[in-house]
Amino acid sequence: MRNSRELHLSRRVGFTTIELLVVAGIIGLLFSVLLRFYSFSSTTSVTDKLILQMEARRSTDEVSAELRVCSSVIRPVPGETLPFLFARDLRNRIVFLYIDKDELHTMKYKKNLYRLILYRYDFSDTYDPKNERILAESIKSLTFTSHDPNSIQVNMAVANDKQDFQIVTRVGMMNLGDPE
């Protein structure tokens, strides 16, 4: 027969229910703190991505709206890709889309960023600032590809301090026939 000391030691091999509950509670508490920290940083990242995507979408919608009221592409010619675009609008004015250095966002995000400018040339001999408008800012890259005289593909990448987002859209122009 075993003595009482051996019996006491043999019972002490495992953990008590209270000890297991305390350890499980501590682990659960640590897990919940880590989960909150991770979900907060993940939510911020997702929010930043969504804001950047919405800005890219808004920018391409602006460009699309301007190009849809044009009647034909002058440059780039079909099959050509350029960082600028010349088109003819319905009033026979020349529409010029080009990128210019965006100093404010370049300094803010420490990346080379540009802004997209639209200028309508009405065949007067002087520059008129009323004919110029900024369509988009924080652009990392922009190209226009002409597939035929009445459609253009716009490839735009916008950026913020953490990430870039690229969007491609194809815009059909009003086909009114050749005005000449």
Side-chain angles (χ1 to χ4, degrees):
M1 199 153 136
R2 297 181 178 169
N3 65 23
S4 66
R5 182 180 163 116
E6 287 177 4
L7 194 58
H8 179 70
L9 286 178
S10 68
R11 259 194 279 156
R12 193 72 182 133
V13 174
F15 296 105
T16 65
T17 305
I18 299 293
E19 291 170 334
L20 290 174
L21 287 174
V22 168
V23 169
I26 292 172
I27 290 173
L29 184 65
L30 288 174
F31 184 71
S32 68
V33 168
L34 288 175
L35 185 64
R36 279 193 184 141
F37 176 74
Y38 176 74
S39 68
F40 176 74
S41 66
S42 175
T43 303
T44 303
S45 177
V46 168
T47 303
D48 289 343
K49 285 180 185 178
L50 288 175
I51 289 170
L52 189 61
Q53 289 175 4
M54 287 188 312
E55 178 62 27
R57 190 75 198 142
R58 187 200 60 77
S59 298
T60 55
D61 287 347
E62 287 270 333
V63 172
S64 296
E66 290 294 335
L67 291 177
R68 281 191 185 106
V69 296
C70 290
S71 60
S72 64
V73 177
I74 299 169
R75 278 300 294 271
V77 296
E80 186 176 36
T81 299
L82 295 173
F84 60 86
L85 175 124
F86 285 102
R88 181 172 287 136
D89 72 2
L90 297 175
R91 294 174 52 194
N92 208 26
R93 296 178 298 182
I94 302 299
V95 176
F96 181 39
L97 288 165
Y98 63 97
I99 54 175
D100 188 33
K101 187 80 166 179
D102 187 351
E103 298 293 338
L104 176 69
H105 290 102
T106 295
M107 288 177 12
K108 183 178 178 181
Y109 299 136
K110 296 177 181 45
K111 296 179 182 180
N112 285 329
L113 297 176
Y114 304 92
R115 54 192 179 151
L116 177 62
I117 299 175
L118 172 124
Y119 185 77
R120 291 188 189 281
Y121 178 68
D122 58 4
F123 298 104
S124 64
D125 290 334
T126 59
Y127 167 78
D128 187 1
K130 292 186 300 184
N131 293 336
E132 186 173 87
R133 184 163 74 104
I134 297 173
L135 292 182
E137 297 176 328
S138 299
I139 296 175
K140 187 173 181 183
S141 67
L142 175 74
T143 59
F144 299 97
T145 304
S146 176
H147 294 284
D148 59 65
N150 296 313
S151 71
I152 202 82
Q153 178 177 311
V154 181
N155 186 346
M156 181 187 304
V158 295
N160 62 16
D161 58 340
K162 296 177 184 162
Q163 57 206 353
D164 303 344
F165 181 76
Q166 187 166 0
I167 189 165
V168 178
T169 188
R170 188 168 180 167
V171 182
M173 299 179 180
M174 290 187 180
N175 187 357
L176 301 176
D178 195 6
E180 297 168 1

